[in-house]
Amino acid sequence: MSLMTCWDLIRTDLYRHYGRTSWSCFIRGYFLIPGFRFMVWLRFATAMYNNKPLGWIPWLILRHYSYLFGIDIPRGSQIGKGFYIGHFSGIVVNPSAIIGDNCNISQGVTIGVSGRGDKRGAATIGNGVYIGPGAKIVGKVTIGDNVAIGANAVVTKDIPANSVVAGVPAKIISYKGAAEFILNPS
């Protein structure tokens, strides 16, 4: 990823918080929104991943914020534009998970590996997905576009697009989707 692409991704992440982008929004967001600050350094660490002389600097800063904010999303993770961390702490994302554009992730969310044989793996999450507080997504599952995952839901099976799921294990409770939960899509 180039630094220009990195800045474009940061700009879309910022837009999700404020509905506009400017340097004043960036400064305010960086210092007042821990999830946005973490994403800035995740984007930089990913962009500089293969830069041998300087790539370790953003990685160290990312690790610092990872411990400070309780967010474990490794550099190099495949995360689309407009990623929104509403509340920080207790967020764990497996490095092989794929997250689409304009997704919301809440506190206490785990996106992890599970399964055996060809079923082993991590989730592929579509665009415009809302993941509620405490939700767990485990295994090689596919989450469709415009899906809302309720608080404390445990997702172990594929979820079709435009669904709302809740419970343990997660079951479809409606087909209204996540549109009301996704603010300022980029």
Side-chain angles (χ1 to χ4, degrees):
M1 169 187 347
S2 71
L3 284 177
M4 283 307 294
T5 303
C6 175
W7 277 113
D8 289 340
L9 290 171
I10 290 169
R11 193 173 10 261
T12 61
D13 295 342
L14 179 65
Y15 185 83
R16 292 292 312 285
H17 287 278
Y18 290 107
R20 58 190 173 92
T21 58
S22 66
W23 279 108
S24 65
C25 285
F26 178 83
I27 300 290
R28 194 173 5 164
Y30 184 83
F31 288 108
L32 298 178
I33 304 171
F36 176 70
R37 186 181 323 173
F38 179 85
M39 284 308 297
V40 167
W41 288 106
L42 177 64
R43 302 293 193 187
F44 277 133
T46 300
M48 305 266 307
Y49 185 72
N50 292 323
N51 187 328
K52 295 299 180 204
L54 299 174
W56 61 274
I57 295 170
W59 177 78
L60 279 178
I61 296 169
L62 177 66
R63 293 311 305 155
H64 166 73
Y65 286 124
S66 181
Y67 294 122
L68 182 66
F69 300 140
I71 301 172
D72 186 13
I73 304 175
R75 74 176 169 179
S77 297
Q78 294 183 42
I79 299 175
K81 65 180 185 170
F83 192 67
Y84 181 91
I85 298 174
H87 299 282
F88 66 94
S89 190
I91 297 171
V92 178
V93 176
N94 185 278
S96 59
I98 300 170
I99 300 174
D101 298 339
N102 298 314
C103 289
N104 286 28
I105 193 168
S106 302
Q107 71 275 13
V109 168
T110 298
I111 302 172
V113 162
S114 183
R116 295 182 183 168
D118 62 344
K119 299 285 185 187
R120 183 163 179 80
T124 300
I125 298 172
N127 300 323
V129 173
Y130 170 82
I131 306 171
K136 310 297 181 239
I137 302 170
V138 292
K140 190 175 184 178
V141 297
T142 301
I143 311 291
D145 294 342
N146 191 34
V147 169
I149 299 171
N152 296 315
V154 177
V155 178
T156 58
K157 295 186 176 156
D158 292 351
I159 306 295
N162 303 311
S163 301
V164 176
V165 298
V168 179
K171 292 182 174 40
I172 297 171
I173 59 172
S174 84
Y175 287 96
K176 293 182 179 178
E180 295 175 5
F181 298 103
I182 305 295
L183 300 176
N184 305 321
S186 55

